[in-house]
Amino acid sequence: MPHRHPAERYGRVYVLRLGHRPERDKRITTHVGLVARAFGANGFVLADICDEHVMASIRGVLERWGGRMHLECGVPGKRYVRDWKRSGGEVIHLTMYGLHVDDVIGVIRESPRPKLIVVGAEKVPWFYYEEADYNVAIGNQPHSEVAALAVFLDRLYMGEELRMEFPGARLRIVPSPRGKRVVSLERGEEVGEVDGE
Ligand code: SAM
């Protein structure tokens, strides 16, 4: 029985990445996008700027490993947040200054409204703290947007997302205690390790 995408049950979940600096954030913003995909978000939006390198990396993973995710870049972050709320969605801003995730995740999970999860890079403008329906801390210590997003999504979906299957995948890993086993679904046979992954 295929494992359904958790967002089918919990509603639409998009990630909005703020403050991307192309000269230094390529890897980390790509990782935000990859965590969004792998941990069950169904949209990734890079605010205020388009970095083709980042978008192409995420697209490449979607092509090889499957999944349907809305991708968008260059949209003004503030307008995106306002429009999201205007169309009935709620905004969850991840920040170390927020309320502890365990104190709010139950209410967030129960709400059927589409969820926009906002993560920053450097200092996030005050606008987002004010507009957010929830400012949520993954513990009140500084760490990373990649870690914060992964833990938040995992708490939201209660771990279910790690079992989901990705439609349209060309490759699938056969879990193994040692070594690297990968099946090409197009060729119907095992292939070796892929792209240094
Ligand atoms: N001062 C920032 C803050 O408000 O969390 C830390 C900057 S951190 C380099 C970049 C991003 O990581 C933040 O904008 C936030 O989205 C996320 N982040 C870092 N630590 C976090 C935490 N403890 N809880 C939730 N999000 C966190």
Side-chain angles (χ1 to χ4, degrees), residues 10 14 39 45 60 69 78 83 88 98 103 111 117 122 126 133 156 161 168 173 178 188 194-195:
Y10 297 104
Y14 278 23
F39 286 71
V45 181
M69 190 162 73
K78 291 181 181 172
D83 288 349
D103 295 336
S111 154
I117 304 168
E122 269 195 323
W126 187 241
D133 295 279
L156 178 68
E161 80 289 351
I173 288 170
R178 202 161 292 107
V194 238
D195 299 348

Side-chain angles (χ1 to χ4, degrees), residues 17-18 21 28 93-98 118-124 129 136-149:
R17 163 49 157 180
L18 304 175
R21 298 154 296 182
I28 199 147
H93 170 222
L94 300 185
T95 166
M96 66 179 182
Y97 299 105
V118 179
V119 295
E122 269 195 323
K123 197 172 171 181
V124 170
Y129 290 82
V136 177
I138 309 299
N140 297 107
Q141 298 294 323
H143 47 80
S144 142
E145 50 273 50
V146 177
L149 179 62

Side-chain angles (χ1 to χ4, degrees), residues 10-12 85 88-91 108 110-115 133:
Y10 297 104
R12 191 155 55 106
K85 290 178 72 175
E90 62 192 1
V91 174
I108 294 174
E110 271 161 33
S111 154
R113 293 163 68 194
K115 298 174 200 333
D133 295 279

